[in-house]
Amino acid sequence: MFTAYILLVVVPFSALCLVGFHKIEQVLKQNQIGQNSREVESFRSDFLDLTGLMTRSLILISQNPAFEQYLGPEGQAAPHEARREINRNLDSLANSFFLSTPSVYMTVVDGAGQAYFNYTPRQAIDGAALYEEITAELSMNGGRASYYWQEAPTYVAKDIVQAETMLTIDALLLDDQRQPFGALRISIDHQRWLTQWSRSADAQADYLVIHAGNQPVFRSRDEAGMPAELSARLAAELQSYPDKTVYETSDQEAAMYLASYMPALDWMLVKKISLEEMFAETNAIKRNVLLAVLAFTALFIAATLLLSSAVTKPLQKLRYQMGKAADNELRVTLPTEPYSGEILHLLTSFNRMIADIQSLIYRLKVEERQKESVRFQILVSQMDPHFLLNTLNLIKSQAMKHQDRVTFDICVSLGLLLETSLNTEVDLVPLEQEISFTEAYMHIQNTRFNGRYQLEISHDPSLSYALVPKFTLQPLVENAILHGFADAPEGGRIAIDIASSEGRELRLLVSDDGRGVEAAREATAQSRIKRKRKGIGISNIRERLELLYRGGASLHLHSGEDGRGTTVEIRIPLLVSEPYRREGTEHV
């Protein structure tokens, strides 16, 4: 009972729980992936909005004619007025675009090295060096880009920006002739912005920003990190799908990483989630279920010990009595008087089973004797065809002796048919053998009626070893002669067409140009001469097809368009059994 409890209750229940918990974890995981993917996408979208505003600021400054006016050669003649107007435009632009965002720090320099800015610098700005730096960096890119992004060292006063680096976009200001008249640097304290964003997001998760080569740009916590090989896999996948949020699970760290990509900066935005925290509720349910199973197991063991004392002893007595019944060849019954309840029901059922088995044994013996009688009758019935075959062989020998070729050929054809009918162990024969049976029968009929009938057989040679039911074509040819050409002294033509359909089905068509199905039926009904036995050709074939193929074959009769001629169509599954060949030439 304890084993049954373990195998039938504990094991299936545990397996069901494991499968259920696994599915729940998968659903939770997919929900977490969807939810956190949206958060990472929001992270990326907010950061793109920030960089987009910086890019639009660059465009507005580039398109503002005041900058070209005061940074060009004419504006350099009045430096005080140029500084006043440029600073006014920078302050106006900063106030209009970045009221709800971190402060933006803009630096504009002209070709002469004069610098204009809207912040307090950490140290004096060398405008000429900055202009040369921006010009050199854009020249390294072959002049294909008018601006570039970088994480540059902080140049704003330390009491304003504490971070060591700032997100910066550098560009050259070009006139209508695409000639530079100044340079522009726009920077933002991205570390502060990222810190504020991560604090407002999921407090239990870690956020990382990683540059190409696994270089960290930002960490929400100092101990937050990511394995190099995992970072490489995520980066490779993001290179293929830059607009998609991808994820990887690290079994070693028991964490899930979701990442998004910013192509302009070549930065990867990553969110790290602890799997333990993700599945905390599921793990608690697992522990409760395990404790419940252990408690039920303990209770079952106690109940089993109590029940065994009340059941084991009666069962041992029952086993002893059953052993005695087996020794007496089931000819005794077990006593039921001392027992009650389930044991009494068991003994009564056993005695009933003994009686049923004895009755079954008796019926089996009777059926066996009946089968032996049927087998004997079959053996006796086979004696007549054997006698006919032996007599036929005697006639064939006499015909050969007297040089009677016609009689000899008839005996050979008839002998082939008789030998085939005697072989009752074979139901399916190769197509070429079935065709030889039909040709042998037609030889006999044409000898009898002086070549009155024509037999045309067409088939693909590759179907020679297709298996067909024995005596399928010959009865159909016989029906055509008996019914289709009964009143036609000039004879007729019988065509057999055999083909395969898509390599799955074998189609056999037997057609004649006789008087047709309806005319044959009317002639049979009006005939005064009754056949001694009912025709069995079509019905016999249809019944054998049903027994052999169990609904997988069909037989249909069709009349010609003018009512003359009959076509019998048989469709059976295509089965091919080619013989073995010895040394490639001889059939075995």
Side-chain angles (χ1 to χ4, degrees), residues 406-470:
V406 174
T407 304
F408 177 80
D409 291 341
I410 293 176
C411 291
V412 171
S413 299
L414 185 58
L416 177 62
L417 297 176
L418 286 175
E419 287 179 355
T420 303
S421 65
L422 286 175
N423 187 5
T424 59
E425 298 179 356
V426 178
D427 295 321
L428 299 175
V429 297
L431 178 61
E432 63 177 8
Q433 187 175 348
E434 180 66 17
I435 291 175
S436 67
F437 300 158
T438 307
E439 290 175 340
Y441 173 77
M442 282 301 297
H443 175 73
I444 295 173
Q445 295 297 328
N446 278 324
T447 302
R448 175 185 176 187
F449 295 105
N450 297 321
R452 183 185 301 176
Y453 308 109
Q454 296 180 9
L455 178 64
E456 298 176 2
I457 300 176
S458 62
H459 72 285
D460 190 343
S462 63
L463 300 176
S464 297
Y465 297 107
L467 298 179
V468 299
K470 184 173 60 177

Coordinates of all heavy atoms in Angstrom, one line a residue, residues 406-470:
V406 N -2.5 -28.3 -80.2 CA -3.6 -27.5 -79.7 C -4.0 -28.0 -78.4 O -4.2 -27.2 -77.4 CB -4.7 -27.5 -80.7 CG1 -6.0 -26.8 -80.1 CG2 -4.3 -26.8 -82.0
T407 N -4.2 -29.3 -78.3 CA -4.7 -29.9 -77.0 C -3.6 -29.7 -75.9 O -3.9 -29.4 -74.8 CB -4.9 -31.4 -77.2 OG1 -5.9 -31.6 -78.2 CG2 -5.4 -32.0 -75.9
F408 N -2.3 -29.8 -76.3 CA -1.2 -29.6 -75.4 C -1.2 -28.2 -74.8 O -1.1 -28.0 -73.6 CB 0.1 -29.9 -76.1 CG 1.3 -29.6 -75.2 CD1 1.7 -30.6 -74.3 CD2 2.0 -28.5 -75.3 CE1 2.8 -30.4 -73.4 CE2 3.1 -28.2 -74.4 CZ 3.5 -29.2 -73.5
D409 N -1.4 -27.2 -75.7 CA -1.4 -25.8 -75.2 C -2.6 -25.5 -74.3 O -2.5 -24.8 -73.3 CB -1.5 -24.8 -76.4 CG -0.2 -24.8 -77.2 OD1 0.8 -25.3 -76.6 OD2 -0.2 -24.4 -78.4
I410 N -3.8 -26.1 -74.6 CA -4.9 -26.0 -73.7 C -4.7 -26.6 -72.4 O -5.0 -26.0 -71.3 CB -6.2 -26.6 -74.4 CG1 -6.6 -25.8 -75.7 CG2 -7.4 -26.6 -73.4 CD1 -7.8 -26.4 -76.4
C411 N -4.1 -27.7 -72.4 CA -3.7 -28.4 -71.1 C -2.8 -27.6 -70.3 O -2.9 -27.5 -69.0 CB -3.2 -29.8 -71.4 SG -4.4 -31.0 -72.0
V412 N -1.8 -26.9 -70.9 CA -0.8 -26.1 -70.2 C -1.6 -24.9 -69.6 O -1.3 -24.6 -68.4 CB 0.3 -25.6 -71.2 CG1 1.2 -24.6 -70.5 CG2 1.1 -26.8 -71.6
S413 N -2.4 -24.2 -70.3 CA -3.1 -23.1 -69.8 C -4.1 -23.5 -68.7 O -4.1 -22.8 -67.6 CB -3.9 -22.4 -70.9 OG -3.1 -22.0 -71.9
L414 N -4.8 -24.6 -68.9 CA -5.7 -25.0 -67.8 C -5.0 -25.5 -66.6 O -5.4 -25.3 -65.5 CB -6.6 -26.2 -68.4 CG -7.7 -26.7 -67.4 CD1 -8.6 -25.5 -67.0 CD2 -8.5 -27.8 -68.1
G415 N -3.8 -26.1 -66.8 CA -3.0 -26.6 -65.7 C -2.5 -25.4 -64.8 O -2.4 -25.5 -63.6
L416 N -2.1 -24.3 -65.5 CA -1.7 -23.1 -64.8 C -2.8 -22.6 -63.9 O -2.6 -22.2 -62.7 CB -1.3 -22.0 -65.8 CG -0.8 -20.7 -65.2 CD1 0.4 -20.8 -64.3 CD2 -0.5 -19.7 -66.3
L417 N -4.0 -22.6 -64.4 CA -5.2 -22.1 -63.6 C -5.5 -23.0 -62.4 O -5.7 -22.6 -61.3 CB -6.4 -21.9 -64.5 CG -6.3 -20.9 -65.6 CD1 -7.6 -20.9 -66.5 CD2 -6.1 -19.5 -65.0
L418 N -5.4 -24.3 -62.7 CA -5.7 -25.3 -61.6 C -4.6 -25.2 -60.5 O -4.9 -25.3 -59.3 CB -5.8 -26.7 -62.2 CG -7.1 -27.0 -62.9 CD1 -7.0 -28.4 -63.6 CD2 -8.3 -26.9 -62.0
E419 N -3.3 -25.1 -60.9 CA -2.3 -25.1 -59.9 C -2.4 -23.8 -59.0 O -2.2 -23.8 -57.8 CB -0.9 -25.1 -60.6 CG -0.5 -26.5 -61.2 CD 0.8 -26.4 -61.9 OE1 1.4 -25.3 -62.0 OE2 1.3 -27.5 -62.3
T420 N -2.8 -22.7 -59.7 CA -2.9 -21.5 -58.9 C -4.1 -21.6 -57.9 O -4.0 -21.1 -56.8 CB -3.2 -20.3 -59.9 OG1 -2.1 -20.2 -60.8 CG2 -3.3 -19.0 -59.1
S421 N -5.2 -22.2 -58.4 CA -6.4 -22.3 -57.5 C -6.1 -23.2 -56.3 O -6.7 -23.1 -55.2 CB -7.6 -22.9 -58.3 OG -7.3 -24.2 -58.7
L422 N -5.1 -24.2 -56.5 CA -4.8 -25.1 -55.4 C -4.0 -24.4 -54.3 O -3.9 -24.9 -53.2 CB -4.1 -26.4 -55.9 CG -4.9 -27.4 -56.7 CD1 -4.0 -28.5 -57.2 CD2 -6.0 -28.0 -55.8
N423 N -3.2 -23.4 -54.7 CA -2.4 -22.7 -53.7 C -3.2 -21.7 -52.9 O -3.4 -20.5 -53.2 CB -1.3 -21.9 -54.5 CG -0.2 -21.3 -53.5 OD1 -0.3 -21.6 -52.3 ND2 0.7 -20.6 -54.1
T424 N -3.8 -22.2 -51.8 CA -4.7 -21.4 -51.0 C -3.9 -20.5 -50.0 O -4.6 -19.7 -49.3 CB -5.7 -22.3 -50.2 OG1 -4.9 -23.2 -49.4 CG2 -6.5 -23.1 -51.2
E425 N -2.6 -20.6 -49.9 CA -1.9 -19.9 -48.9 C -1.5 -18.5 -49.4 O -1.0 -17.7 -48.6 CB -0.6 -20.6 -48.5 CG -0.9 -22.0 -47.9 CD 0.4 -22.7 -47.5 OE1 1.5 -22.2 -47.9 OE2 0.3 -23.8 -46.9
V426 N -1.7 -18.2 -50.7 CA -1.3 -16.9 -51.3 C -2.5 -16.2 -51.7 O -3.3 -16.7 -52.4 CB -0.3 -17.1 -52.5 CG1 0.0 -15.8 -53.1 CG2 0.9 -17.9 -52.0
D427 N -2.7 -14.9 -51.2 CA -3.8 -14.1 -51.6 C -3.4 -13.0 -52.6 O -4.2 -12.6 -53.4 CB -4.4 -13.4 -50.3 CG -4.9 -14.4 -49.3 OD1 -5.6 -15.4 -49.8 OD2 -4.8 -14.2 -48.1
L428 N -2.2 -12.5 -52.5 CA -1.7 -11.5 -53.4 C -0.6 -12.1 -54.3 O 0.3 -12.8 -53.8 CB -1.1 -10.3 -52.7 CG -2.1 -9.6 -51.7 CD1 -1.4 -8.5 -50.9 CD2 -3.3 -9.0 -52.5
V429 N -0.7 -11.8 -55.6 CA 0.3 -12.3 -56.6 C 0.9 -11.1 -57.4 O 0.2 -10.1 -57.5 CB -0.3 -13.3 -57.5 CG1 -0.7 -14.6 -56.8 CG2 -1.4 -12.8 -58.3
P430 N 2.1 -11.2 -58.0 CA 2.6 -10.1 -58.8 C 1.6 -9.9 -60.0 O 1.0 -10.8 -60.5 CB 4.0 -10.6 -59.2 CG 4.3 -11.6 -58.2 CD 3.1 -12.2 -57.7
L431 N 1.6 -8.7 -60.5 CA 0.8 -8.3 -61.6 C 1.1 -9.2 -62.9 O 0.2 -9.6 -63.6 CB 0.9 -6.8 -61.9 CG 0.1 -6.3 -63.1 CD1 -1.4 -6.5 -62.9 CD2 0.4 -4.8 -63.4
E432 N 2.4 -9.4 -63.1 CA 2.7 -10.2 -64.3 C 2.2 -11.6 -64.2 O 1.8 -12.2 -65.2 CB 4.2 -10.2 -64.5 CG 5.0 -10.8 -63.4 CD 6.5 -10.9 -63.7 OE1 7.0 -10.2 -64.6 OE2 7.2 -11.5 -62.9
Q433 N 2.1 -12.2 -63.0 CA 1.6 -13.5 -62.8 C 0.0 -13.5 -63.1 O -0.5 -14.4 -63.7 CB 1.9 -14.0 -61.5 CG 1.5 -15.5 -61.2 CD 2.0 -16.0 -59.9 OE1 2.8 -15.4 -59.2 NE2 1.5 -17.2 -59.5
E434 N -0.6 -12.4 -62.6 CA -2.1 -12.3 -62.8 C -2.4 -12.2 -64.3 O -3.4 -12.7 -64.8 CB -2.6 -11.1 -62.0 CG -4.1 -10.9 -62.1 CD -4.9 -12.0 -61.5 OE1 -4.4 -12.8 -60.7 OE2 -6.1 -12.1 -61.8
I435 N -1.5 -11.4 -65.0 CA -1.7 -11.3 -66.4 C -1.6 -12.6 -67.1 O -2.3 -12.9 -68.1 CB -0.8 -10.2 -66.9 CG1 -1.2 -8.8 -66.4 CG2 -0.7 -10.2 -68.5 CD1 -0.2 -7.7 -66.8
S436 N -0.6 -13.4 -66.7 CA -0.4 -14.7 -67.3 C -1.6 -15.6 -67.1 O -2.0 -16.4 -68.0 CB 0.9 -15.4 -66.8 OG 0.7 -15.7 -65.4
F437 N -2.3 -15.5 -65.9 CA -3.5 -16.3 -65.7 C -4.5 -15.9 -66.7 O -5.2 -16.8 -67.3 CB -4.1 -16.1 -64.3 CG -3.1 -16.4 -63.2 CD1 -3.3 -15.9 -61.9 CD2 -2.1 -17.4 -63.4 CE1 -2.4 -16.2 -60.9 CE2 -1.2 -17.7 -62.3 CZ -1.4 -17.1 -61.1
T438 N -4.7 -14.6 -66.9 CA -5.7 -14.1 -67.8 C -5.4 -14.5 -69.2 O -6.3 -14.9 -70.0 CB -5.8 -12.6 -67.7 OG1 -6.0 -12.2 -66.3 CG2 -7.0 -12.0 -68.5
E439 N -4.2 -14.4 -69.6 CA -3.8 -14.8 -71.0 C -4.0 -16.3 -71.2 O -4.4 -16.7 -72.3 CB -2.3 -14.4 -71.2 CG -2.1 -12.9 -71.4 CD -0.7 -12.6 -71.5 OE1 0.2 -13.4 -71.1 OE2 -0.4 -11.4 -72.0
A440 N -3.7 -17.1 -70.2 CA -4.0 -18.6 -70.3 C -5.5 -18.8 -70.5 O -5.9 -19.7 -71.3 CB -3.4 -19.3 -69.0
Y441 N -6.3 -18.1 -69.7 CA -7.7 -18.3 -69.9 C -8.2 -17.9 -71.3 O -9.0 -18.6 -71.9 CB -8.5 -17.5 -68.8 CG -10.0 -17.5 -69.0 CD1 -10.7 -18.6 -68.6 CD2 -10.6 -16.4 -69.5 CE1 -12.1 -18.6 -68.8 CE2 -12.0 -16.4 -69.7 CZ -12.7 -17.5 -69.3 OH -14.1 -17.5 -69.5
M442 N -7.7 -16.8 -71.8 CA -8.1 -16.3 -73.1 C -7.6 -17.3 -74.2 O -8.3 -17.4 -75.2 CB -7.5 -14.9 -73.3 CG -8.3 -13.8 -72.6 SD -10.0 -13.7 -73.1 CE -9.9 -13.4 -74.9
H443 N -6.5 -17.9 -73.9 CA -6.0 -18.9 -74.9 C -7.0 -20.0 -75.0 O -7.3 -20.5 -76.1 CB -4.6 -19.4 -74.5 CG -4.1 -20.5 -75.4 ND1 -3.6 -20.3 -76.6 CD2 -4.0 -21.8 -75.1 CE1 -3.2 -21.4 -77.2 NE2 -3.4 -22.4 -76.3
I444 N -7.5 -20.5 -73.9 CA -8.5 -21.6 -73.9 C -9.7 -21.1 -74.6 O -10.3 -21.9 -75.5 CB -8.8 -22.0 -72.5 CG1 -7.5 -22.6 -71.8 CG2 -9.9 -23.0 -72.4 CD1 -7.7 -22.9 -70.3
Q445 N -10.2 -19.9 -74.3 CA -11.4 -19.4 -74.9 C -11.3 -19.2 -76.5 O -12.2 -19.6 -77.3 CB -11.9 -18.1 -74.3 CG -12.3 -18.3 -72.8 CD -13.5 -19.2 -72.6 OE1 -14.4 -19.3 -73.5 NE2 -13.5 -20.0 -71.6
N446 N -10.2 -18.7 -76.9 CA -10.0 -18.4 -78.3 C -9.7 -19.8 -79.1 O -10.1 -19.9 -80.2 CB -8.8 -17.5 -78.5 CG -9.1 -16.1 -78.4 OD1 -10.2 -15.7 -78.8 ND2 -8.2 -15.3 -77.8
T447 N -9.2 -20.7 -78.4 CA -9.1 -22.1 -79.0 C -10.5 -22.7 -79.2 O -10.8 -23.3 -80.2 CB -8.2 -23.0 -78.1 OG1 -6.9 -22.4 -78.0 CG2 -8.0 -24.3 -78.8
R448 N -11.3 -22.5 -78.2 CA -12.6 -23.0 -78.2 C -13.5 -22.3 -79.3 O -14.2 -22.9 -80.0 CB -13.3 -22.8 -76.8 CG -14.8 -23.2 -76.8 CD -15.3 -22.9 -75.4 NE -16.8 -23.2 -75.4 CZ -17.6 -22.9 -74.3 NH1 -17.0 -22.3 -73.3 NH2 -18.8 -23.2 -74.4
F449 N -13.3 -20.9 -79.4 CA -14.2 -20.2 -80.3 C -13.4 -19.7 -81.5 O -13.8 -18.7 -82.2 CB -14.8 -19.0 -79.6 CG -15.8 -19.4 -78.5 CD1 -15.4 -19.3 -77.2 CD2 -17.0 -19.8 -78.8 CE1 -16.2 -19.6 -76.1 CE2 -17.9 -20.2 -77.8 CZ -17.5 -20.1 -76.4
N450 N -12.3 -20.3 -81.9 CA -11.6 -20.0 -83.1 C -11.1 -18.6 -83.2 O -11.3 -17.9 -84.2 CB -12.5 -20.3 -84.4 CG -12.8 -21.8 -84.5 OD1 -12.0 -22.7 -84.2 ND2 -14.0 -22.1 -84.9
G451 N -10.5 -18.1 -82.1 CA -10.0 -16.8 -82.1 C -11.0 -15.6 -82.2 O -10.7 -14.6 -82.8
R452 N -12.1 -15.8 -81.6 CA -13.2 -14.8 -81.8 C -12.9 -13.5 -81.0 O -13.4 -12.5 -81.3 CB -14.5 -15.4 -81.4 CG -15.7 -14.5 -81.5 CD -17.0 -15.1 -81.0 NE -17.3 -16.4 -81.6 CZ -18.3 -17.2 -81.3 NH1 -19.1 -16.9 -80.3 NH2 -18.5 -18.4 -81.9
Y453 N -12.2 -13.7 -79.9 CA -12.0 -12.5 -79.0 C -10.6 -12.0 -79.0 O -9.6 -12.8 -79.2 CB -12.3 -13.0 -77.5 CG -13.7 -13.7 -77.4 CD1 -13.7 -15.0 -77.1 CD2 -14.8 -12.9 -77.6 CE1 -14.9 -15.7 -77.1 CE2 -16.1 -13.6 -77.5 CZ -16.1 -14.9 -77.2 OH -17.3 -15.5 -77.1
Q454 N -10.5 -10.7 -78.9 CA -9.2 -10.0 -78.9 C -8.9 -9.5 -77.4 O -9.8 -8.8 -76.9 CB -9.2 -8.8 -79.8 CG -9.3 -9.2 -81.3 CD -9.3 -8.0 -82.2 OE1 -9.0 -6.9 -81.8 NE2 -9.6 -8.2 -83.5
L455 N -7.7 -9.7 -76.9 CA -7.4 -9.2 -75.6 C -6.2 -8.3 -75.8 O -5.1 -8.7 -76.3 CB -7.0 -10.4 -74.7 CG -6.5 -10.0 -73.3 CD1 -7.6 -9.3 -72.5 CD2 -6.0 -11.3 -72.5
E456 N -6.4 -7.1 -75.3 CA -5.3 -6.1 -75.3 C -5.0 -5.7 -73.9 O -5.8 -5.2 -73.2 CB -5.7 -4.8 -76.1 CG -6.1 -5.2 -77.6 CD -6.6 -3.9 -78.3 OE1 -6.7 -2.9 -77.7 OE2 -6.9 -4.1 -79.5
I457 N -3.7 -5.8 -73.6 CA -3.2 -5.5 -72.2 C -2.1 -4.4 -72.3 O -1.2 -4.6 -73.0 CB -2.7 -6.8 -71.5 CG1 -3.8 -7.8 -71.4 CG2 -2.2 -6.4 -70.1 CD1 -3.3 -9.1 -70.8
S458 N -2.3 -3.4 -71.6 CA -1.3 -2.3 -71.5 C -1.0 -2.0 -70.1 O -2.0 -1.8 -69.3 CB -1.8 -1.0 -72.3 OG -3.0 -0.5 -71.6
H459 N 0.3 -1.9 -69.7 CA 0.7 -1.5 -68.4 C 2.1 -1.1 -68.4 O 2.9 -1.5 -69.3 CB 0.5 -2.7 -67.4 CG 1.5 -3.8 -67.6 ND1 1.3 -4.7 -68.6 CD2 2.5 -4.2 -66.9 CE1 2.4 -5.6 -68.5 NE2 3.1 -5.3 -67.5
D460 N 2.5 -0.3 -67.4 CA 3.9 0.1 -67.3 C 4.7 -1.1 -66.8 O 4.4 -1.7 -65.8 CB 3.9 1.2 -66.2 CG 5.3 1.9 -66.2 OD1 6.2 1.3 -66.7 OD2 5.4 3.0 -65.7
P461 N 5.8 -1.4 -67.5 CA 6.7 -2.5 -67.0 C 7.1 -2.4 -65.6 O 7.4 -3.4 -64.9 CB 7.9 -2.5 -68.0 CG 7.3 -1.8 -69.2 CD 6.3 -0.8 -68.7
S462 N 7.2 -1.1 -65.1 CA 7.6 -1.0 -63.7 C 6.6 -1.5 -62.7 O 6.9 -1.7 -61.5 CB 7.9 0.5 -63.4 OG 6.7 1.3 -63.5
L463 N 5.4 -1.8 -63.2 CA 4.3 -2.3 -62.3 C 4.3 -3.8 -62.4 O 3.3 -4.4 -61.9 CB 3.0 -1.7 -62.7 CG 2.9 -0.2 -62.6 CD1 1.5 0.3 -63.1 CD2 3.1 0.3 -61.1
S464 N 5.2 -4.5 -63.0 CA 5.2 -6.0 -63.1 C 5.1 -6.7 -61.8 O 4.5 -7.8 -61.7 CB 6.4 -6.5 -63.9 OG 6.3 -5.9 -65.2
Y465 N 5.7 -6.1 -60.8 CA 5.8 -6.8 -59.5 C 4.8 -6.1 -58.5 O 5.0 -6.3 -57.3 CB 7.2 -6.8 -58.9 CG 8.1 -7.6 -59.8 CD1 9.1 -6.9 -60.6 CD2 8.1 -9.0 -59.9 CE1 9.9 -7.6 -61.4 CE2 8.9 -9.7 -60.7 CZ 9.9 -9.0 -61.5 OH 10.7 -9.7 -62.3
A466 N 3.9 -5.3 -59.0 CA 2.8 -4.8 -58.1 C 1.9 -5.9 -57.7 O 1.5 -6.8 -58.5 CB 2.0 -3.7 -58.8
L467 N 1.6 -6.0 -56.4 CA 0.8 -7.1 -55.8 C -0.7 -6.8 -56.0 O -1.2 -5.7 -55.7 CB 1.1 -7.3 -54.4 CG 2.5 -7.6 -54.0 CD1 2.7 -7.8 -52.5 CD2 2.9 -8.9 -54.7
V468 N -1.4 -7.8 -56.6 CA -2.9 -7.7 -56.8 C -3.5 -8.9 -56.3 O -2.9 -10.0 -56.2 CB -3.2 -7.5 -58.3 CG1 -2.6 -6.2 -58.8 CG2 -2.7 -8.7 -59.1
P469 N -4.8 -8.9 -55.9 CA -5.5 -10.1 -55.4 C -5.5 -11.2 -56.5 O -5.8 -10.8 -57.7 CB -6.9 -9.6 -55.0 CG -6.7 -8.2 -54.8 CD -5.7 -7.7 -55.7
K470 N -5.3 -12.4 -56.1 CA -5.3 -13.5 -57.1 C -6.7 -13.6 -57.7 O -7.7 -13.5 -57.1 CB -4.8 -14.8 -56.4 CG -4.7 -16.0 -57.3 CD -4.1 -17.2 -56.5 CE -4.9 -17.6 -55.4 NZ -4.4 -18.8 -54.7

